[in-house]
Amino acid sequence: MSTRRVTMAQALVGFLKNQYVERDGLESKFFAGAWGIFGHGNIAGIGQALQQNPDFRYFLCRNEQAAVHISTAFAKAKNRLSTFACVSSIGPGATNMITGAATATINRIPVLLLPGDIFARRNVAPVLQQLESEHSQDISVNDAFKPVSRYWDRINRADQLPCAIVEAMRVLTSPAQTGAVTLALPQDVQSEAWDYPEEMFERRVWHIARPEPERALLTRAAAMIRAAKRPMIVAGGGVIYSDASAALARLASRTGIPVGETQAGKGSLPFDHAQNLGAIGVTGTPGANIAARDADCVITIGTRLSDFTTASKTAFQNQHVRFININVNETDAFKHAGLPLIADARAAIEQLEAALSGFQVAAEYANCVAQWKDRWETETDRIFGLRHGPPVSQGEVIGSVNRASRPEDVVVCAAGSLPGDLHKLWRTRQPKGYHLEYGYSCMGYEVAGGLGVKMADPSRDVYVMVGDGSYLMMASEITTSIQEGYKLNIIVLDNHGFSSIGGLSQAIGSRGFGTDYRLRRTETGELDGEYVPVDFVALSTGLGACAVRATSRDDLERALDRMHSHERTSVIVIEVDKEMRVPGYESWWDVPISEVSEIESIRQAREKYEQAIKKERRHEVAAGGRSA
Ligand SMILES: Cc1ncc(C[n+]2csc(CCOP(=O)(O)OP(=O)(O)O)c2C)c(N)n1
Ligand SMILES: [Mg+2]
């Protein structure tokens, strides 16, 4: 066997740069390079290996958490067919990546994390940044990656690497298993040489399968749909990752079955497709939520059925409702006692369409769908057309940005009140036009995520819409976008704190406690003074962006216009009225309220809560579904 004597880190980089994936006959490189920050825990190992492999590009970011968000957003925009590796030193550099790892894993997006680790040889311990333990020397902060990784390993000997990296690749390229994969790299082992088999460095292509649904279950599913009076489809992220939008559009058009979209699934259909009722769930449209309420057969495709989609299990109220779950992931396919079609979304949709040939929903139901759609367009126009303030309303700002963007452009967002409003209002015209990280809803994802999306397809303009709270948490990657020459369009909606959690606080009777950015007043000892002054324009220009403030709607539209001519990352800061919210429609979310309290408003909220929770269903124990 011919071998190559290289360090463990050199072998790792040598392997990663030769990994490819193939789906539907199309091949692409799986890793677009590595993001990260060096420290003593990786500069001499992975850092040196990256330096001698310029064809595996190293990208320097400002925060390791951001490195993972950039990579996650890139991989999501690439339908999980490509991603980055993320490297860090030991200790804080490594643990900064844990939030990113959780974000990737919860959203089922592949990223490879390579945190440095303490010496395997141990004799010099405790090294700088080492967590010591009395009961084991086989522990480091990197053990904290275990619950947030789909595969976790520590390379304690150079010759362990080949066994670990093929497992890492298996998980990263598995549509059902994918998420963050962590290989912890002790800093001494990174620099140790071994005679690695030459074969390890050959080009390797990982096939991404499109598993087909089981025939017998597909036949049963088609029979269930044919017998249904009010069938409905819930489209999740899996529709988009599987590139199944065109297949779904055909199925919906031919059968007339309406579609509700989850956050990850928004964009599955263009907003004006005749069967697209838009957002479903807590942040859904009235049409989608009424359709869900009464549906007797719900066909879910590529969704985890999170509480935002199921309105905390209150969305589906028909006593006879049954679920058919199309999902590559077995756990998801069995949810709600559904008939499990464990399959690729596109393969299953195409086969279902064939099995449903000639089937159409009743004319009366089709009319309802058309009316709901019309009414929703009118409601969206009303919200976009408000002339509130100044400060203007958030809904108007969304309307202006939506109009300023082209169909192929992408809106990026993650946390706050914007995700719900965007879910309802954004008119998505292409499957990749709506990029929401709403699995982990991680404040700080927005700017970093925007950079990942832009890198995935520089021909699209990226509009990052971000609240002041999230912007303050991590605006740092503006600097990185300038370093790399990727232009982002960032709209900062400043409402001096948390509109989302502030609204929730009102709803639970807590009157906004701890959700405004206000100065502490000596008289009261509380945060109830003037607003904390923050100059977001100065912050943005300080990081290297062009930035302007807009105060009115006309101002905003002029600034959006001018944004097109800016060459580098550009920021518009606009104050929005926190109290002028987009309403909720026909839905509910379970946030438990104190059973006892000294505050009257909390007692009142609790009473309402006790009524509302009665609507929660136990679909998981329903007979039928899988045994039907
Ligand atoms: C990292 C992180 N911390 C806390 C939260 C909980 N949280 C959700 S939204 C929100 C407020 C976001 O504020 P901002 O970005 O200004 O958006 P707004 O609610 O004002 O629209 C908080 C604290 C979160 N999602 N992520
Ligand atoms: Mg805010």
Side-chain angles (χ1 to χ4, degrees):
M1 182 175 69
S2 76
T3 57
R4 193 187 291 186
R5 188 162 179 79
V6 288
T7 67
M8 185 266 263
Q10 291 160 358
L12 177 54
V13 174
F15 173 85
L16 295 179
K17 70 183 187 185
N18 282 305
Q19 303 307 301
Y20 291 75
V21 290
E22 172 272 318
R23 188 173 74 174
D24 304 329
L26 292 175
E27 268 183 33
S28 56
K29 234 183 197 321
F30 190 62
F31 292 103
W35 278 97
I37 295 180
F38 298 139
H40 68 282
N42 66 342
I43 185 111
I46 278 283
Q48 188 280 323
L50 287 168
Q51 183 186 20
Q52 76 176 51
N53 284 281
D55 53 341
F56 191 77
R57 185 169 284 175
Y58 169 64
F59 297 91
L60 171 59
C61 60
R62 300 300 175 279
N63 178 325
E64 294 87 351
Q65 181 184 329
V68 189
H69 291 330
I70 296 167
S71 308
T72 304
F74 177 87
K76 182 174 160 81
K78 290 276 195 189
N79 286 339
R80 315 194 291 197
L81 298 173
S82 182
T83 187
F84 288 97
C86 297
V87 303
S88 81
S89 188
I90 74 166
T95 51
N96 265 357
M97 296 202 294
I98 291 176
T99 299
T103 308
T105 295
I106 282 160
N107 285 282
R108 316 266 172 95
I109 304 289
V111 286
L112 176 62
L113 308 182
L114 303 170
D117 211 328
I118 54 172
F119 279 58
R121 133 163 83 83
R122 295 183 181 166
N123 63 317
V124 290
V127 295
L128 177 66
Q129 301 172 332
Q130 174 166 349
L131 172 81
E132 287 183 274
S133 159
E134 301 76 13
H135 64 272
S136 173
Q137 291 188 61
D138 190 19
I139 257 182
S140 83
V141 293
N142 286 339
D143 288 82
F145 281 96
K146 285 179 181 171
V148 291
S149 301
R150 298 309 304 265
Y151 179 82
W152 184 99
D153 215 338
R154 182 180 279 132
I155 315 300
N156 277 312
R157 291 164 43 137
D159 59 352
Q160 288 175 340
L161 181 70
C163 305
I165 47 178
V166 290
E167 290 304 304
M169 283 305 298
R170 173 183 61 75
V171 172
L172 287 167
T173 59
S174 159
Q177 297 297 314
T178 199
V181 164
T182 302
L183 299 182
L185 308 176
Q187 74 175 96
D188 51 345
V189 185
Q190 288 178 42
S191 315
E192 279 170 23
W194 189 61
D195 296 309
Y196 287 92
E198 263 307 331
E199 264 187 306
M200 191 179 139
F201 305 108
E202 284 168 14
R203 176 188 165 91
R204 189 179 299 206
V205 184
W206 299 78
H207 172 67
I208 301 201
R210 290 192 179 277
E212 310 238 325
E214 198 192 24
R215 260 278 118 215
L217 288 186
L218 186 92
T219 307
R220 214 186 282 173
M224 277 168 70
I225 298 168
R226 283 180 188 276
K229 301 260 177 312
R230 298 178 83 87
M232 144 166 241
I233 292 170
V234 178
V239 173
I240 295 176
Y241 305 142
S242 150
D243 198 10
S245 294
L248 178 64
R250 256 193 328 269
L251 173 72
S253 299
R254 297 234 170 118
T255 59
I257 302 174
V259 177
E261 296 175 322
T262 71
Q263 281 279 14
K266 187 169 162 90
S268 293
L269 297 178
F271 82 97
D272 53 358
H273 183 285
Q275 274 70 43
N276 188 2
L277 293 176
I280 189 168
V282 179
T283 53
T285 68
N289 285 343
I290 294 169
R293 185 188 69 200
D294 299 337
D296 50 0
C297 176
V298 180
I299 307 138
T300 78
I301 312 178
T303 169
R304 305 183 299 130
L305 290 166
S306 80
D307 66 346
F308 259 74
T309 299
T310 68
S312 304
K313 302 274 158 84
T314 65
F316 307 106
Q317 287 295 323
N318 185 318
Q319 287 311 302
H320 305 290
V321 65
R322 288 287 175 266
F323 295 85
I324 296 165
N325 299 324
I326 297 173
N327 212 299
V328 276
N329 182 302
E330 192 177 275
T331 309
D332 292 325
F334 274 92
K335 284 176 180 169
H336 290 205
L339 183 92
L341 295 182
I342 302 167
D344 168 68
R346 196 173 84 187
I349 293 169
E350 284 170 355
Q351 293 196 14
L352 202 55
E353 194 203 324
L356 286 172
S357 147
F359 169 77
Q360 278 209 323
V361 300
E364 180 218 349
Y365 187 40
N367 286 340
C368 284
V369 172
Q371 273 180 22
W372 286 326
K373 254 197 97 61
D374 276 356
R375 281 193 213 133
W376 181 247
E377 289 318 309
T378 311
E379 174 69 352
T380 306
D381 286 336
R382 179 188 72 78
I383 294 166
F384 282 179
L386 285 173
R387 285 261 171 195
H388 183 76
V392 300
S393 66
Q394 184 156 290
E396 286 172 81
V397 177
I398 292 173
S400 299
V401 178
N402 192 230
R403 278 191 301 272
S405 63
R406 303 168 303 173
E408 64 270 32
D409 294 342
V410 192
V411 66
V412 178
C413 187
S417 59
L418 275 164
D421 293 357
L422 287 166
H423 192 208
K424 284 174 235 180
L425 300 173
W426 189 262
R427 288 172 165 157
T428 312
R429 294 153 285 177
Q430 281 198 5
K432 301 309 295 183
Y434 183 83
H435 185 115
L436 256 285
E437 187 287 285
Y438 210 66
Y440 208 44
S441 188
C442 185
M443 290 171 75
Y445 178 91
E446 298 85 351
V447 174
L451 178 54
V453 173
K454 183 70 182 171
M455 289 178 81
D457 186 351
S459 74
R460 298 171 188 261
D461 285 339
V462 171
Y463 289 88
V464 175
M465 296 194 72
V466 55
D468 54 320
S470 302
Y471 194 62
L472 280 175
M473 211 173 269
M474 199 157 57
S476 52
E477 302 314 309
I478 285 180
T479 311
T480 312
S481 78
I482 285 160
Q483 160 194 303
E484 297 296 332
Y486 289 108
K487 180 190 167 190
L488 305 178
N489 303 295
I490 301 172
I491 295 93
V492 180
L493 290 90
D494 182 10
N495 51 24
H496 312 285
F498 310 159
S499 168
S500 50
I501 306 299
L504 189 57
S505 172
Q506 300 288 353
I508 62 153
S510 284
R511 304 186 293 245
F513 172 71
T515 61
D516 266 0
Y517 288 149
R518 289 182 184 277
L519 298 171
R520 190 172 300 284
R521 249 185 346 137
T522 31
E523 295 87 325
T524 59
E526 308 268 340
L527 295 176
D528 58 0
E530 294 295 309
Y531 285 128
V532 179
V534 181
D535 186 341
F536 286 103
V537 171
L539 171 66
S540 310
T541 50
L543 290 170
C546 332
V548 289
R549 186 182 318 281
T551 46
S552 67
R553 169 89 166 270
D554 294 338
D555 234 18
L556 169 69
E557 292 185 352
R558 273 194 299 273
L560 283 165
D561 227 23
R562 278 199 300 274
M563 230 176 187
H564 293 298
S565 60
H566 295 156
E567 302 231 313
R568 66 177 197 278
T569 291
S570 175
V571 178
I572 300 173
V573 180
I574 184 157
E575 188 180 355
V576 291
D577 185 345
K578 189 187 274 167
E579 302 308 326
M580 189 60 194
R581 295 187 170 87
V582 178
Y585 302 91
E586 311 280 343
S587 200
W588 185 68
W589 187 33
D590 189 340
V591 178
I593 291 168
S594 298
E595 218 170 331
V596 291
S597 170
E598 292 166 6
I599 302 170
E600 172 57 21
S601 56
I602 303 234
R603 288 198 295 272
Q604 284 171 9
R606 174 73 195 189
E607 248 175 64
K608 275 207 222 147
Y609 175 78
E610 282 173 10
Q611 286 309 310
I613 201 175
K614 288 184 185 151
K615 287 178 107 180
E616 286 185 8
R617 310 251 339 244
R618 302 304 302 248
H619 300 300
E620 72 278 14
V621 292
R626 80 184 87 148
S627 57

